[in-house]
Amino acid sequence: MARKFTLKEIAFQAGLSLATVDRVVHNRPGATLRAQAQVHAAVEELERQFDTMRATGRRLGLDVVVEAPRRFSHAVRLAFEAEVGGLRPAILSARFHMADRMEPADLRAILVAIRKRGSHGVVLKARNTAATADLARELLVAGIPVVTLVTDLPAACRVGYVGIDNQIAGANAAYLLGRMSPAAGQVLVTLSSGDFTGEGDRAHGFAKVLARDFPHLSVVTVSEGGGVNRSTYDLALAALEQHPGLDAVYSIGGGNRAILRAFADARAGCRVFIAHDLDATNRALLGQGALTCVIHHDLRQDARKACQLVLRHHRMLPSDLGLAPSRMMLLTPHDDLTGL
């Protein structure tokens, strides 16, 4: 391990002290079994990311911090792992901090630890709260660039945002759903949390176009299910019991199996169901025809752009590097999903 990766690289990846890593690498006493497992897992992660480790170049380490259900955070992890090894002029590695839900204290502990330990960049998907904004600003002051992923923070708290234009995504969803709904009806709009700026922007874009162009459709919004199946199911079922006219869905925050189960248990029909992201769950549901359309974008493209923003911050790419919002794809059950 010590020959291929420095102790500092392993310590960074494992989130442990240099002394602890030194004990494990050199088989000295004093390291717990948990620490030994963390070190070996860190080396395995580095080996996956650095199959071209012999290449010359500066090495940078990123921290990717994501609050999202596992189906999405896993897709983010795969995207970064696929991209970091091929980026130049630096060699990058990524360390991941992911959870279905991060309480404010949990997020603070992660970001404070990153600031104290040091990092070449933080890619962050988190709720837009005053506390989160303060933590992001502290990272910037410490010289650690923050890039927001798919949901944004105030511009003063980060060096850039990567992802789709969420208001346009919501507008597209409203246009499609409205064109497929000639009769009066109600639409269930589901968010994982209103604290995610990206989800709020999608909901705003959707509501604006629906009210302007399709006034015969009304919106019933539920939120704070966290995209988790159980809580999302409860919220959707309660909405269906209170609003029996619901017959269409715009799912912003996920938990789509749970939403479909709520419709089935309420004996309600769902004419149109528009969702986001081609994760494993939505891929299966789209193939079954349970979803009408998925608004998708390439997370690898997002990962690449996030890394490029970090490289730009470290003056390894031109300062005038422009990064447009990620392009969206509208996928239906008839699309060939091979390669996506």
PDB file of all heavy atoms in Angstrom, residues 236-273:
ATOM      1  N   ALA A 236     -48.570  10.520  -0.187  1.00  0.00           N
ATOM      2  CA  ALA A 236     -49.353  10.363  -1.412  1.00  0.00           C
ATOM      3  C   ALA A 236     -50.732   9.790  -1.104  1.00  0.00           C
ATOM      4  O   ALA A 236     -51.750  10.246  -1.655  1.00  0.00           O
ATOM      5  CB  ALA A 236     -48.606   9.473  -2.394  1.00  0.00           C
ATOM      6  N   LEU A 237     -50.795   8.790  -0.229  1.00  0.00           N
ATOM      7  CA  LEU A 237     -52.084   8.178   0.104  1.00  0.00           C
ATOM      8  C   LEU A 237     -52.991   9.182   0.795  1.00  0.00           C
ATOM      9  O   LEU A 237     -54.199   9.248   0.498  1.00  0.00           O
ATOM     10  CB  LEU A 237     -51.857   6.956   1.002  1.00  0.00           C
ATOM     11  CG  LEU A 237     -53.105   6.114   1.294  1.00  0.00           C
ATOM     12  CD1 LEU A 237     -53.680   5.538  -0.010  1.00  0.00           C
ATOM     13  CD2 LEU A 237     -52.772   4.984   2.265  1.00  0.00           C
ATOM     14  N   ALA A 238     -52.446   9.974   1.704  1.00  0.00           N
ATOM     15  CA  ALA A 238     -53.254  10.993   2.385  1.00  0.00           C
ATOM     16  C   ALA A 238     -53.794  12.010   1.383  1.00  0.00           C
ATOM     17  O   ALA A 238     -54.956  12.445   1.475  1.00  0.00           O
ATOM     18  CB  ALA A 238     -52.414  11.691   3.455  1.00  0.00           C
ATOM     19  N   ALA A 239     -52.961  12.400   0.410  1.00  0.00           N
ATOM     20  CA  ALA A 239     -53.416  13.355  -0.606  1.00  0.00           C
ATOM     21  C   ALA A 239     -54.528  12.759  -1.452  1.00  0.00           C
ATOM     22  O   ALA A 239     -55.515  13.436  -1.787  1.00  0.00           O
ATOM     23  CB  ALA A 239     -52.240  13.763  -1.491  1.00  0.00           C
ATOM     24  N   LEU A 240     -54.414  11.482  -1.809  1.00  0.00           N
ATOM     25  CA  LEU A 240     -55.438  10.825  -2.617  1.00  0.00           C
ATOM     26  C   LEU A 240     -56.748  10.689  -1.852  1.00  0.00           C
ATOM     27  O   LEU A 240     -57.837  10.820  -2.436  1.00  0.00           O
ATOM     28  CB  LEU A 240     -54.938   9.442  -3.049  1.00  0.00           C
ATOM     29  CG  LEU A 240     -53.895   9.457  -4.167  1.00  0.00           C
ATOM     30  CD1 LEU A 240     -53.132   8.142  -4.211  1.00  0.00           C
ATOM     31  CD2 LEU A 240     -54.561   9.727  -5.511  1.00  0.00           C
ATOM     32  N   GLU A 241     -56.672  10.455  -0.570  1.00  0.00           N
ATOM     33  CA  GLU A 241     -57.892  10.356   0.240  1.00  0.00           C
ATOM     34  C   GLU A 241     -58.571  11.704   0.368  1.00  0.00           C
ATOM     35  O   GLU A 241     -59.795  11.796   0.387  1.00  0.00           O
ATOM     36  CB  GLU A 241     -57.550   9.787   1.617  1.00  0.00           C
ATOM     37  CG  GLU A 241     -57.132   8.318   1.574  1.00  0.00           C
ATOM     38  CD  GLU A 241     -56.608   7.820   2.910  1.00  0.00           C
ATOM     39  OE1 GLU A 241     -56.360   8.668   3.809  1.00  0.00           O
ATOM     40  OE2 GLU A 241     -56.443   6.601   3.060  1.00  0.00           O
ATOM     41  N   GLN A 242     -57.769  12.772   0.435  1.00  0.00           N
ATOM     42  CA  GLN A 242     -58.324  14.111   0.585  1.00  0.00           C
ATOM     43  C   GLN A 242     -58.764  14.711  -0.753  1.00  0.00           C
ATOM     44  O   GLN A 242     -59.678  15.544  -0.795  1.00  0.00           O
ATOM     45  CB  GLN A 242     -57.289  15.021   1.241  1.00  0.00           C
ATOM     46  CG  GLN A 242     -57.830  16.401   1.620  1.00  0.00           C
ATOM     47  CD  GLN A 242     -56.802  17.224   2.375  1.00  0.00           C
ATOM     48  OE1 GLN A 242     -55.713  16.737   2.694  1.00  0.00           O
ATOM     49  NE2 GLN A 242     -57.139  18.463   2.670  1.00  0.00           N
ATOM     50  N   HIS A 243     -58.122  14.265  -1.845  1.00  0.00           N
ATOM     51  CA  HIS A 243     -58.417  14.820  -3.173  1.00  0.00           C
ATOM     52  C   HIS A 243     -58.671  13.664  -4.139  1.00  0.00           C
ATOM     53  O   HIS A 243     -57.775  13.271  -4.911  1.00  0.00           O
ATOM     54  CB  HIS A 243     -57.253  15.673  -3.676  1.00  0.00           C
ATOM     55  CG  HIS A 243     -56.870  16.792  -2.758  1.00  0.00           C
ATOM     56  ND1 HIS A 243     -57.521  18.008  -2.751  1.00  0.00           N
ATOM     57  CD2 HIS A 243     -55.893  16.861  -1.813  1.00  0.00           C
ATOM     58  CE1 HIS A 243     -56.962  18.798  -1.846  1.00  0.00           C
ATOM     59  NE2 HIS A 243     -55.973  18.123  -1.263  1.00  0.00           N
ATOM     60  N   PRO A 244     -59.858  13.111  -4.143  1.00  0.00           N
ATOM     61  CA  PRO A 244     -60.150  11.944  -4.992  1.00  0.00           C
ATOM     62  C   PRO A 244     -60.061  12.226  -6.486  1.00  0.00           C
ATOM     63  O   PRO A 244     -60.044  11.291  -7.298  1.00  0.00           O
ATOM     64  CB  PRO A 244     -61.568  11.551  -4.584  1.00  0.00           C
ATOM     65  CG  PRO A 244     -62.143  12.770  -3.943  1.00  0.00           C
ATOM     66  CD  PRO A 244     -61.009  13.486  -3.297  1.00  0.00           C
ATOM     67  N   GLY A 245     -59.962  13.509  -6.881  1.00  0.00           N
ATOM     68  CA  GLY A 245     -59.856  13.839  -8.304  1.00  0.00           C
ATOM     69  C   GLY A 245     -58.443  13.738  -8.855  1.00  0.00           C
ATOM     70  O   GLY A 245     -58.237  13.935 -10.056  1.00  0.00           O
ATOM     71  N   LEU A 246     -57.471  13.412  -8.018  1.00  0.00           N
ATOM     72  CA  LEU A 246     -56.093  13.306  -8.500  1.00  0.00           C
ATOM     73  C   LEU A 246     -55.961  12.168  -9.511  1.00  0.00           C
ATOM     74  O   LEU A 246     -56.337  11.033  -9.225  1.00  0.00           O
ATOM     75  CB  LEU A 246     -55.139  13.055  -7.322  1.00  0.00           C
ATOM     76  CG  LEU A 246     -54.851  14.252  -6.401  1.00  0.00           C
ATOM     77  CD1 LEU A 246     -54.147  13.788  -5.131  1.00  0.00           C
ATOM     78  CD2 LEU A 246     -53.995  15.294  -7.134  1.00  0.00           C
ATOM     79  N   ASP A 247     -55.403  12.475 -10.680  1.00  0.00           N
ATOM     80  CA  ASP A 247     -55.246  11.421 -11.691  1.00  0.00           C
ATOM     81  C   ASP A 247     -53.977  11.582 -12.514  1.00  0.00           C
ATOM     82  O   ASP A 247     -53.816  10.969 -13.566  1.00  0.00           O
ATOM     83  CB  ASP A 247     -56.465  11.375 -12.619  1.00  0.00           C
ATOM     84  CG  ASP A 247     -56.664  12.653 -13.414  1.00  0.00           C
ATOM     85  OD1 ASP A 247     -55.911  13.630 -13.186  1.00  0.00           O
ATOM     86  OD2 ASP A 247     -57.557  12.675 -14.282  1.00  0.00           O
ATOM     87  N   ALA A 248     -53.049  12.419 -12.038  1.00  0.00           N
ATOM     88  CA  ALA A 248     -51.774  12.603 -12.728  1.00  0.00           C
ATOM     89  C   ALA A 248     -50.716  12.957 -11.692  1.00  0.00           C
ATOM     90  O   ALA A 248     -51.029  13.452 -10.610  1.00  0.00           O
ATOM     91  CB  ALA A 248     -51.866  13.700 -13.785  1.00  0.00           C
ATOM     92  N   VAL A 249     -49.445  12.707 -12.039  1.00  0.00           N
ATOM     93  CA  VAL A 249     -48.346  12.918 -11.090  1.00  0.00           C
ATOM     94  C   VAL A 249     -47.174  13.595 -11.787  1.00  0.00           C
ATOM     95  O   VAL A 249     -46.781  13.209 -12.892  1.00  0.00           O
ATOM     96  CB  VAL A 249     -47.857  11.583 -10.487  1.00  0.00           C
ATOM     97  CG1 VAL A 249     -46.622  11.805  -9.602  1.00  0.00           C
ATOM     98  CG2 VAL A 249     -48.956  10.906  -9.689  1.00  0.00           C
ATOM     99  N   TYR A 250     -46.610  14.601 -11.118  1.00  0.00           N
ATOM    100  CA  TYR A 250     -45.282  15.102 -11.451  1.00  0.00           C
ATOM    101  C   TYR A 250     -44.413  14.856 -10.229  1.00  0.00           C
ATOM    102  O   TYR A 250     -44.523  15.540  -9.215  1.00  0.00           O
ATOM    103  CB  TYR A 250     -45.313  16.586 -11.810  1.00  0.00           C
ATOM    104  CG  TYR A 250     -43.941  17.181 -12.067  1.00  0.00           C
ATOM    105  CD1 TYR A 250     -42.927  16.451 -12.693  1.00  0.00           C
ATOM    106  CD2 TYR A 250     -43.651  18.491 -11.693  1.00  0.00           C
ATOM    107  CE1 TYR A 250     -41.676  16.994 -12.927  1.00  0.00           C
ATOM    108  CE2 TYR A 250     -42.397  19.055 -11.937  1.00  0.00           C
ATOM    109  CZ  TYR A 250     -41.418  18.299 -12.541  1.00  0.00           C
ATOM    110  OH  TYR A 250     -40.170  18.836 -12.773  1.00  0.00           O
ATOM    111  N   SER A 251     -43.561  13.844 -10.299  1.00  0.00           N
ATOM    112  CA  SER A 251     -42.720  13.446  -9.181  1.00  0.00           C
ATOM    113  C   SER A 251     -41.373  14.146  -9.283  1.00  0.00           C
ATOM    114  O   SER A 251     -40.544  13.784 -10.106  1.00  0.00           O
ATOM    115  CB  SER A 251     -42.526  11.925  -9.165  1.00  0.00           C
ATOM    116  OG  SER A 251     -41.586  11.556  -8.188  1.00  0.00           O
ATOM    117  N   ILE A 252     -41.168  15.113  -8.410  1.00  0.00           N
ATOM    118  CA  ILE A 252     -39.918  15.870  -8.392  1.00  0.00           C
ATOM    119  C   ILE A 252     -38.898  15.200  -7.476  1.00  0.00           C
ATOM    120  O   ILE A 252     -37.709  15.177  -7.760  1.00  0.00           O
ATOM    121  CB  ILE A 252     -40.196  17.322  -7.933  1.00  0.00           C
ATOM    122  CG1 ILE A 252     -41.062  18.046  -8.975  1.00  0.00           C
ATOM    123  CG2 ILE A 252     -38.895  18.072  -7.689  1.00  0.00           C
ATOM    124  CD1 ILE A 252     -41.521  19.417  -8.544  1.00  0.00           C
ATOM    125  N   GLY A 253     -39.386  14.643  -6.372  1.00  0.00           N
ATOM    126  CA  GLY A 253     -38.479  14.143  -5.346  1.00  0.00           C
ATOM    127  C   GLY A 253     -38.278  12.648  -5.290  1.00  0.00           C
ATOM    128  O   GLY A 253     -37.587  12.146  -4.407  1.00  0.00           O
ATOM    129  N   GLY A 254     -38.873  11.885  -6.193  1.00  0.00           N
ATOM    130  CA  GLY A 254     -38.658  10.441  -6.218  1.00  0.00           C
ATOM    131  C   GLY A 254     -39.611   9.672  -5.323  1.00  0.00           C
ATOM    132  O   GLY A 254     -40.647  10.182  -4.889  1.00  0.00           O
ATOM    133  N   GLY A 255     -39.260   8.417  -5.046  1.00  0.00           N
ATOM    134  CA  GLY A 255     -40.154   7.530  -4.315  1.00  0.00           C
ATOM    135  C   GLY A 255     -41.304   7.063  -5.185  1.00  0.00           C
ATOM    136  O   GLY A 255     -42.438   6.901  -4.718  1.00  0.00           O
ATOM    137  N   ASN A 256     -41.007   6.794  -6.450  1.00  0.00           N
ATOM    138  CA  ASN A 256     -42.080   6.568  -7.418  1.00  0.00           C
ATOM    139  C   ASN A 256     -42.798   5.233  -7.250  1.00  0.00           C
ATOM    140  O   ASN A 256     -43.998   5.137  -7.523  1.00  0.00           O
ATOM    141  CB  ASN A 256     -41.526   6.717  -8.836  1.00  0.00           C
ATOM    142  CG  ASN A 256     -41.003   8.118  -9.078  1.00  0.00           C
ATOM    143  OD1 ASN A 256     -41.559   9.085  -8.562  1.00  0.00           O
ATOM    144  ND2 ASN A 256     -39.924   8.246  -9.826  1.00  0.00           N
ATOM    145  N   ARG A 257     -42.103   4.204  -6.808  1.00  0.00           N
ATOM    146  CA  ARG A 257     -42.801   2.947  -6.521  1.00  0.00           C
ATOM    147  C   ARG A 257     -43.846   3.164  -5.430  1.00  0.00           C
ATOM    148  O   ARG A 257     -44.949   2.612  -5.496  1.00  0.00           O
ATOM    149  CB  ARG A 257     -41.806   1.876  -6.078  1.00  0.00           C
ATOM    150  CG  ARG A 257     -40.972   1.279  -7.186  1.00  0.00           C
ATOM    151  CD  ARG A 257     -40.304  -0.011  -6.721  1.00  0.00           C
ATOM    152  NE  ARG A 257     -39.350  -0.499  -7.689  1.00  0.00           N
ATOM    153  CZ  ARG A 257     -39.674  -1.205  -8.769  1.00  0.00           C
ATOM    154  NH1 ARG A 257     -40.946  -1.476  -9.017  1.00  0.00           N
ATOM    155  NH2 ARG A 257     -38.737  -1.628  -9.601  1.00  0.00           N
ATOM    156  N   ALA A 258     -43.492   3.941  -4.440  1.00  0.00           N
ATOM    157  CA  ALA A 258     -44.419   4.205  -3.342  1.00  0.00           C
ATOM    158  C   ALA A 258     -45.625   5.012  -3.818  1.00  0.00           C
ATOM    159  O   ALA A 258     -46.762   4.756  -3.393  1.00  0.00           O
ATOM    160  CB  ALA A 258     -43.691   4.952  -2.225  1.00  0.00           C
ATOM    161  N   ILE A 259     -45.394   5.965  -4.700  1.00  0.00           N
ATOM    162  CA  ILE A 259     -46.512   6.768  -5.220  1.00  0.00           C
ATOM    163  C   ILE A 259     -47.464   5.898  -6.023  1.00  0.00           C
ATOM    164  O   ILE A 259     -48.694   5.984  -5.877  1.00  0.00           O
ATOM    165  CB  ILE A 259     -45.973   7.931  -6.071  1.00  0.00           C
ATOM    166  CG1 ILE A 259     -45.130   8.874  -5.213  1.00  0.00           C
ATOM    167  CG2 ILE A 259     -47.126   8.696  -6.732  1.00  0.00           C
ATOM    168  CD1 ILE A 259     -44.336   9.895  -6.014  1.00  0.00           C
ATOM    169  N   LEU A 260     -46.918   5.046  -6.865  1.00  0.00           N
ATOM    170  CA  LEU A 260     -47.753   4.138  -7.655  1.00  0.00           C
ATOM    171  C   LEU A 260     -48.531   3.180  -6.752  1.00  0.00           C
ATOM    172  O   LEU A 260     -49.707   2.883  -7.011  1.00  0.00           O
ATOM    173  CB  LEU A 260     -46.880   3.356  -8.639  1.00  0.00           C
ATOM    174  CG  LEU A 260     -46.317   4.171  -9.816  1.00  0.00           C
ATOM    175  CD1 LEU A 260     -45.191   3.412 -10.498  1.00  0.00           C
ATOM    176  CD2 LEU A 260     -47.428   4.505 -10.819  1.00  0.00           C
ATOM    177  N   ARG A 261     -47.886   2.731  -5.673  1.00  0.00           N
ATOM    178  CA  ARG A 261     -48.581   1.825  -4.743  1.00  0.00           C
ATOM    179  C   ARG A 261     -49.716   2.562  -4.037  1.00  0.00           C
ATOM    180  O   ARG A 261     -50.787   1.993  -3.796  1.00  0.00           O
ATOM    181  CB  ARG A 261     -47.587   1.272  -3.721  1.00  0.00           C
ATOM    182  CG  ARG A 261     -48.190   0.269  -2.740  1.00  0.00           C
ATOM    183  CD  ARG A 261     -47.102  -0.598  -2.112  1.00  0.00           C
ATOM    184  NE  ARG A 261     -46.104   0.211  -1.425  1.00  0.00           N
ATOM    185  CZ  ARG A 261     -46.199   0.595  -0.146  1.00  0.00           C
ATOM    186  NH1 ARG A 261     -47.270   0.258   0.560  1.00  0.00           N
ATOM    187  NH2 ARG A 261     -45.241   1.295   0.416  1.00  0.00           N
ATOM    188  N   ALA A 262     -49.508   3.837  -3.729  1.00  0.00           N
ATOM    189  CA  ALA A 262     -50.569   4.620  -3.100  1.00  0.00           C
ATOM    190  C   ALA A 262     -51.769   4.755  -4.034  1.00  0.00           C
ATOM    191  O   ALA A 262     -52.926   4.631  -3.599  1.00  0.00           O
ATOM    192  CB  ALA A 262     -50.032   5.994  -2.710  1.00  0.00           C
ATOM    193  N   PHE A 263     -51.519   4.998  -5.315  1.00  0.00           N
ATOM    194  CA  PHE A 263     -52.619   5.069  -6.278  1.00  0.00           C
ATOM    195  C   PHE A 263     -53.357   3.734  -6.348  1.00  0.00           C
ATOM    196  O   PHE A 263     -54.595   3.695  -6.388  1.00  0.00           O
ATOM    197  CB  PHE A 263     -52.089   5.461  -7.663  1.00  0.00           C
ATOM    198  CG  PHE A 263     -52.096   6.936  -7.918  1.00  0.00           C
ATOM    199  CD1 PHE A 263     -51.065   7.740  -7.444  1.00  0.00           C
ATOM    200  CD2 PHE A 263     -53.120   7.534  -8.627  1.00  0.00           C
ATOM    201  CE1 PHE A 263     -51.060   9.103  -7.677  1.00  0.00           C
ATOM    202  CE2 PHE A 263     -53.142   8.904  -8.870  1.00  0.00           C
ATOM    203  CZ  PHE A 263     -52.098   9.698  -8.387  1.00  0.00           C
ATOM    204  N   ALA A 264     -52.601   2.643  -6.361  1.00  0.00           N
ATOM    205  CA  ALA A 264     -53.239   1.319  -6.433  1.00  0.00           C
ATOM    206  C   ALA A 264     -54.070   1.052  -5.183  1.00  0.00           C
ATOM    207  O   ALA A 264     -55.206   0.570  -5.276  1.00  0.00           O
ATOM    208  CB  ALA A 264     -52.169   0.245  -6.607  1.00  0.00           C
ATOM    209  N   ASP A 265     -53.525   1.370  -4.003  1.00  0.00           N
ATOM    210  CA  ASP A 265     -54.246   1.104  -2.761  1.00  0.00           C
ATOM    211  C   ASP A 265     -55.468   2.003  -2.618  1.00  0.00           C
ATOM    212  O   ASP A 265     -56.445   1.623  -1.967  1.00  0.00           O
ATOM    213  CB  ASP A 265     -53.316   1.292  -1.562  1.00  0.00           C
ATOM    214  CG  ASP A 265     -52.253   0.204  -1.488  1.00  0.00           C
ATOM    215  OD1 ASP A 265     -52.377  -0.790  -2.244  1.00  0.00           O
ATOM    216  OD2 ASP A 265     -51.310   0.342  -0.685  1.00  0.00           O
ATOM    217  N   ALA A 266     -55.413   3.197  -3.201  1.00  0.00           N
ATOM    218  CA  ALA A 266     -56.564   4.107  -3.165  1.00  0.00           C
ATOM    219  C   ALA A 266     -57.557   3.819  -4.285  1.00  0.00           C
ATOM    220  O   ALA A 266     -58.577   4.496  -4.401  1.00  0.00           O
ATOM    221  CB  ALA A 266     -56.078   5.550  -3.262  1.00  0.00           C
ATOM    222  N   ARG A 267     -57.236   2.802  -5.116  1.00  0.00           N
ATOM    223  CA  ARG A 267     -58.068   2.447  -6.263  1.00  0.00           C
ATOM    224  C   ARG A 267     -58.292   3.654  -7.181  1.00  0.00           C
ATOM    225  O   ARG A 267     -59.402   3.903  -7.665  1.00  0.00           O
ATOM    226  CB  ARG A 267     -59.413   1.860  -5.810  1.00  0.00           C
ATOM    227  CG  ARG A 267     -59.254   0.613  -4.942  1.00  0.00           C
ATOM    228  CD  ARG A 267     -60.606   0.035  -4.559  1.00  0.00           C
ATOM    229  NE  ARG A 267     -60.479  -1.047  -3.613  1.00  0.00           N
ATOM    230  CZ  ARG A 267     -60.171  -2.311  -3.927  1.00  0.00           C
ATOM    231  NH1 ARG A 267     -59.963  -2.627  -5.187  1.00  0.00           N
ATOM    232  NH2 ARG A 267     -60.064  -3.234  -2.984  1.00  0.00           N
ATOM    233  N   ALA A 268     -57.227   4.386  -7.394  1.00  0.00           N
ATOM    234  CA  ALA A 268     -57.286   5.576  -8.243  1.00  0.00           C
ATOM    235  C   ALA A 268     -56.443   5.332  -9.495  1.00  0.00           C
ATOM    236  O   ALA A 268     -55.380   4.696  -9.437  1.00  0.00           O
ATOM    237  CB  ALA A 268     -56.756   6.794  -7.490  1.00  0.00           C
ATOM    238  N   GLY A 269     -56.908   5.845 -10.615  1.00  0.00           N
ATOM    239  CA  GLY A 269     -56.153   5.705 -11.857  1.00  0.00           C
ATOM    240  C   GLY A 269     -55.172   6.856 -12.029  1.00  0.00           C
ATOM    241  O   GLY A 269     -55.435   7.984 -11.608  1.00  0.00           O
ATOM    242  N   CYS A 270     -54.050   6.549 -12.626  1.00  0.00           N
ATOM    243  CA  CYS A 270     -53.036   7.578 -12.891  1.00  0.00           C
ATOM    244  C   CYS A 270     -52.794   7.621 -14.400  1.00  0.00           C
ATOM    245  O   CYS A 270     -52.173   6.728 -14.967  1.00  0.00           O
ATOM    246  CB  CYS A 270     -51.741   7.260 -12.139  1.00  0.00           C
ATOM    247  SG  CYS A 270     -50.464   8.516 -12.340  1.00  0.00           S
ATOM    248  N   ARG A 271     -53.304   8.662 -15.052  1.00  0.00           N
ATOM    249  CA  ARG A 271     -53.225   8.762 -16.510  1.00  0.00           C
ATOM    250  C   ARG A 271     -51.818   9.116 -16.992  1.00  0.00           C
ATOM    251  O   ARG A 271     -51.337   8.601 -17.995  1.00  0.00           O
ATOM    252  CB  ARG A 271     -54.196   9.817 -17.024  1.00  0.00           C
ATOM    253  CG  ARG A 271     -55.669   9.545 -16.810  1.00  0.00           C
ATOM    254  CD  ARG A 271     -56.507  10.662 -17.381  1.00  0.00           C
ATOM    255  NE  ARG A 271     -56.193  11.949 -16.749  1.00  0.00           N
ATOM    256  CZ  ARG A 271     -55.392  12.876 -17.257  1.00  0.00           C
ATOM    257  NH1 ARG A 271     -54.804  12.676 -18.429  1.00  0.00           N
ATOM    258  NH2 ARG A 271     -55.169  14.010 -16.627  1.00  0.00           N
ATOM    259  N   VAL A 272     -51.193  10.045 -16.266  1.00  0.00           N
ATOM    260  CA  VAL A 272     -49.880  10.560 -16.671  1.00  0.00           C
ATOM    261  C   VAL A 272     -48.981  10.589 -15.444  1.00  0.00           C
ATOM    262  O   VAL A 272     -49.386  11.059 -14.379  1.00  0.00           O
ATOM    263  CB  VAL A 272     -49.981  11.984 -17.259  1.00  0.00           C
ATOM    264  CG1 VAL A 272     -48.609  12.453 -17.742  1.00  0.00           C
ATOM    265  CG2 VAL A 272     -51.002  12.044 -18.375  1.00  0.00           C
ATOM    266  N   PHE A 273     -47.759  10.083 -15.607  1.00  0.00           N
ATOM    267  CA  PHE A 273     -46.798  10.086 -14.504  1.00  0.00           C
ATOM    268  C   PHE A 273     -45.447  10.512 -15.074  1.00  0.00           C
ATOM    269  O   PHE A 273     -44.815   9.782 -15.828  1.00  0.00           O
ATOM    270  CB  PHE A 273     -46.683   8.692 -13.883  1.00  0.00           C
ATOM    271  CG  PHE A 273     -46.018   8.658 -12.518  1.00  0.00           C
ATOM    272  CD1 PHE A 273     -46.650   8.053 -11.440  1.00  0.00           C
ATOM    273  CD2 PHE A 273     -44.764   9.219 -12.316  1.00  0.00           C
ATOM    274  CE1 PHE A 273     -46.045   8.019 -10.182  1.00  0.00           C
ATOM    275  CE2 PHE A 273     -44.153   9.195 -11.073  1.00  0.00           C
ATOM    276  CZ  PHE A 273     -44.786   8.584 -10.008  1.00  0.00           C
TER     277      PHE A 273
END
